[in-house]
Amino acid sequence: MEKRALPLVFMLALLFFKLSNAAVYKVGDSGGWTTIGNIDYKLWAATKTFQLGDTILFEYNPQFHNVMRVTHAMYRACNASAPIATYTSGNDSIAITTKGHHYFLCGVPGHCQAGQKVDINVLRTTHQPAPAPPAAVPPPPFVPAAKIPGSSPNNAVSLKSLTSLLGKFGLTMLLLFLS
């Protein structure tokens, strides 16, 4: 393998590693983002372990709800007057790229006060194991077609199950191409 190809292989291996550990969390699970059904978003978030690279999915009826990212003070006061960001599609995917608290609420009057707010906390102590150097990683073995498993107990869909087969195949092809 040429020396100039090593950084490319390392970057692809790092990208694959990061994708394989990411999860998608649908806020409120099957209930979604709503004021109906008395969903306890604080309890929902407390049962999850959020990590960098995860995606938070808000699904709701955009005629009746929205999603606003706000500061801690605004979250506590249910103040939607100057949000950091506003989402209105009804199917909003928000990638978590920083550690710490990420505060969201519905800006429709009365909804936040009714409990439609969530604190997504990515722990500062979340440990991400370092990937092995590319030279130490042998090409992955051929994996026959596999059945994609159902959702995990905490209703997060692991991208690992979605990218494992394709990622291993792509990495194998890249390594064969570069050798």
Side-chain angles (χ1 to χ4, degrees):
M1 185 181 309
E2 295 181 30
K3 289 182 181 178
R4 61 186 161 100
L6 284 176
L8 175 64
V9 172
F10 179 75
M11 293 298 289
L12 289 172
L14 184 61
L15 176 65
F16 176 73
F17 176 78
K18 286 193 177 280
L19 286 176
S20 66
N21 288 329
V24 176
Y25 292 96
K26 179 180 172 186
V27 176
D29 294 327
S30 62
W33 185 240
T34 184
T35 53
I36 300 171
N38 296 322
I39 298 171
D40 185 340
Y41 293 107
K42 185 175 184 176
L43 177 62
W44 174 86
T47 64
K48 312 295 185 244
T49 303
F50 301 106
Q51 297 184 23
L52 291 178
D54 288 348
T55 298
I56 308 305
L57 176 62
F58 288 88
E59 288 185 356
Y60 56 93
N61 184 333
Q63 293 178 332
F64 302 108
H65 305 285
N66 61 33
V67 177
M68 293 185 168
R69 186 168 185 172
V70 296
T71 65
H72 183 236
M74 293 172 72
Y75 173 84
R76 287 185 20 188
C78 284
N79 178 353
S81 64
I84 297 167
T86 302
Y87 306 90
T88 59
S89 76
N91 191 25
D92 306 316
S93 293
I94 302 169
I96 301 300
T97 59
T98 59
K99 294 180 182 179
H101 292 270
H102 303 269
Y103 301 102
F104 300 93
L105 55 81
C106 180
V108 173
H111 288 200
C112 178
Q113 291 84 349
Q116 195 176 5
K117 63 182 186 175
V118 66
D119 172 6
I120 305 296
N121 186 14
V122 179
L123 299 177
R124 298 192 185 283
T125 58
T126 300
H127 175 67
Q128 296 284 344
V137 178
F142 173 75
V143 179
K147 181 179 175 185
I148 296 176
S151 62
S152 64
N154 67 5
N155 290 316
V157 178
S158 172
L159 287 179
K160 183 175 186 177
S161 65
L162 301 175
T163 61
S164 178
L165 181 60
L166 183 58
K168 287 179 181 177
F169 176 74
L171 189 55
T172 301
M173 296 307 292
L174 178 66
L175 290 173
L176 289 174
F177 176 75
L178 293 174
S179 57

